């Protein structure tokens, strides 16, 4: 599993190293923004889920950090509050399958997922409605683009 993620990271690095936004048509730039946002959302979901597991398993204790959140913040270059939020989002995603599916699909940003797990925890019956509203607010379909745009070489 980690080898696959490392391969995805390396492929994305290669793509980014040769990326030149100046050659994109405006419509193509919009597609790239949507795809990049979906990738970012998926990556944030993976980080949240793995961060919650790291916190649960105590693997961070040997790092010298005061808490799992301190360790995650240091390891990811984020603030302590962002790390706490990621861990909490990861924990709550386990209880909210509709939100988790949308987050894993790239349909939600990290901020949307965090807000939805909070609202979903307060009212689990509203989970589907909350996801639909978030998708409508973001203007993104699952994956960030229309299906007819997903095969582009952007």
């Amino acid at each position: 599993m980690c080898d696959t993620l490392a391969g995805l990271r390396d492929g994305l690095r290669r793509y980014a190293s040769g990326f030149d936004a100046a050659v994109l048509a405006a419509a193509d730039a919009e597609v790239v923004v949507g795809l990049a946002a979906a990738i970012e959302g998926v990556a944030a979901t993976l980080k949240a889920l793995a961060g919650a597991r790291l916190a649960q398993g105590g693997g961070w204790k040997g790092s010298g950090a005061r808490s799992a959140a301190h360790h995650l913040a240091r390891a990811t270059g984020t603030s302590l509050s962002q790390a706490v939020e990621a861990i909490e989002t990861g924990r709550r995603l386990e209880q909210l399958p509709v939100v988790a599916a949308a987050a894993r699909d790239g349909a939600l940003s990290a901020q949307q997922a965090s807000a939805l797990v909070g609202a979903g925890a307060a009212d689990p019956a509203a989970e589907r409605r909350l996801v639909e509203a978030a998708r409508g607010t973001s203007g993104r379909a699952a994956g960030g683009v229309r299906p007819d745009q997903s095969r582009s070489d952007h």
Side-chain angles (χ1 to χ4, degrees):
M1 174 177 20
C2 292
D3 289 343
T4 300
L5 266 177
L8 290 170
R9 179 205 57 211
D10 294 345
L12 194 54
R13 283 178 174 168
R14 284 189 301 277
Y15 179 82
S17 71
F19 180 76
D20 183 1
V23 301
L24 294 176
D28 290 337
E30 185 174 355
V31 172
V32 171
V33 166
L35 290 168
I39 291 166
E40 186 176 46
V42 170
T45 300
L46 293 175
K47 182 174 77 171
L49 292 167
R53 176 64 182 124
L54 179 70
Q56 177 189 32
W60 58 272
K61 292 180 181 177
S63 72
R66 290 190 291 174
S67 68
H70 283 88
H71 175 73
L72 186 62
R74 186 180 319 139
T76 61
T78 59
S79 70
L80 180 59
S81 64
Q82 288 171 317
V84 168
E85 187 173 351
I87 291 169
E88 187 59 27
T89 297
R91 286 181 179 145
R92 288 181 172 183
L93 281 173
E94 298 296 331
Q95 307 307 312
L96 299 165
V98 175
V99 176
R104 289 173 188 263
D105 194 39
L108 303 174
S109 68
Q111 294 80 10
Q112 287 173 317
S114 177
L116 292 186
V117 296
D123 185 4
E127 189 180 5
R128 188 168 307 282
R129 187 178 71 244
L130 292 166
V131 168
E132 289 170 4
R135 283 182 168 165
T137 302
S138 71
R140 289 195 286 149
V145 296
R146 295 187 321 259
D148 61 325
Q149 293 176 314
S150 63
R151 293 188 183 148
S152 178
D153 288 337
H154 304 117

